[in-house]
Amino acid sequence: MSQQSSSNLSATVQLTQELIRRRSVTPDDCGCQQVMIERLTAIGFHIEQLRFGDVDNFWAVRGDSGPTLCFAGHTDVVPTGPEENWQQPPFDATIIDGHIVGRGAADMKGSLAAMIVAVEQFVGEHPQHNGRIAFLITSDEEGIAVNGTVKVVEWLRQQNQLPEWCLIGEPSSTNQCGDTVKNGRRGSLGCTLTVRGQQGHVAYPHLADNPVHRAVPALTALSSEVWDNGNAFFPATSFQISNIQAGTGATNVIPGELEVEFNFRFSTELTEQQIIQRTEQILDQYKLDYSADWNLSGHPFLTAEGELVSATVTSIAEVTGLDTELSTAGGTSDGRFIAPFGVQVVELGPVNASIHKIDENTSIEGLNQLTLIYQAVLTQLLQ
């Protein structure tokens, strides 16, 4: 294991380290946005700082007219877990064997640094570029996501400033930088199901009504249901139970209530209304006494064709030689708040193998390539 001197590091790597060293556990930005704002102001960006609740956000734009390419991302990171389990302190941004180790290295402070440096280099070469370059940055992506991008997008809509294209720096790559681009995401629909029965003694089941026994056949039916077969861009819709709770803690008491949490990750083949209707039809078949509390986290979205996908794929090939894969797999992202307004959205960032894990890291080579890819996308769309 070898550590690298900072004297010969690229501007992207140095900025990544500076951002990682700010302990911005969601929703605390911890000054990361100010670092970015200062860099952007220095090259002619106009900044709107937008604080909603306890969340810092900003919108930055350079240029007066024409189509807008927006770089979007988040400065907040997930908690580290036990810091003593990390091989290096998670906010030291140590470089080991060609990788930066630290919370947020891949998700997504490396991408933010690559965006900033790419724009600095592009503006230096093309100070009179066409169109507009923008940044939409939040500190509320890893949290409950109610005062971040969703609020900024609504503000942009009211200001008539929605961009044509949005490149989000989420860690999309699988094995090497640029091998995978997310051009869409599945929708996420959650439910807390409460099944009511009658509490009683386990020795007298005829005097009680066990909600667990009643619910199991219905849950089995839900888990075996074929919701759809997906399509050319999306895998089939999936149903997963995440939590089940019942009982008083005593072994001789039939519970009076069962609570089940489950989630659908769904494709564009279904709407949330169709999923809810079909789910409740199955529950009704088993004559359960239940209530269902539904929560839609995001609609599915897809940017199948257009200038942004083309520019991204071409730029990756130019920089890395890779024939990138377009994918809609994975969890939700803030793209779900942007795409519904007709904005072309893609996600491109570092390898995602270590995100949210102990010893999160990203490769220096990958970050430097990512910077060149972002700069090439700018050249494709705005030169």
Side-chain angles (χ1 to χ4, degrees), residues 245-325:
Q245 293 182 323
T248 64
T251 60
N252 60 350
V253 177
I254 293 171
E257 192 171 271
L258 169 71
E259 184 175 281
V260 184
E261 294 180 336
F262 53 82
N263 179 269
F264 291 90
R265 293 301 166 103
F266 63 102
S267 74
T268 49
E269 293 294 301
L270 292 173
T271 66
E272 72 274 17
Q273 291 88 357
Q274 289 172 320
I275 294 172
I276 291 171
Q277 182 181 29
R278 286 175 59 182
T279 299
E280 295 186 351
Q281 284 177 344
I282 291 172
L283 295 173
D284 290 342
Q285 289 173 10
Y286 290 87
K287 303 186 185 307
L288 303 180
D289 179 9
Y290 73 91
S291 60
D293 182 15
W294 294 93
N295 176 47
L296 178 69
S297 299
H299 294 278
F301 70 89
L302 179 69
T303 301
E305 299 176 354
E307 305 94 343
L308 182 58
V309 168
S310 176
T312 304
V313 170
T314 300
S315 297
I316 291 169
E318 286 179 358
V319 173
T320 69
L322 293 172
D323 183 11
T324 193
E325 176 189 356

Side-chain angles (χ1 to χ4, degrees), residues 9-17 100 110 113-114 117-118 121 367-368 371:
L9 298 176
S10 69
T12 299
V13 171
Q14 292 183 52
L15 180 53
T16 300
Q17 289 181 299
I100 305 175
V117 174
Q121 294 174 171
L367 284 184
N368 291 334
T371 305

Side-chain angles (χ1 to χ4, degrees), residues 223-253:
S223 64
S224 60
E225 177 78 0
V226 177
W227 300 93
D228 62 39
N229 295 310
N231 55 38
F233 299 100
F234 289 91
T237 293
S238 69
F239 166 88
Q240 289 294 316
I241 295 171
S242 55
N243 283 293
I244 296 181
Q245 293 182 323
T248 64
T251 60
N252 60 350
V253 177

Side-chain angles (χ1 to χ4, degrees), residues 32 173 362 373:
C32 292
S173 302
T362 193
I373 295 168

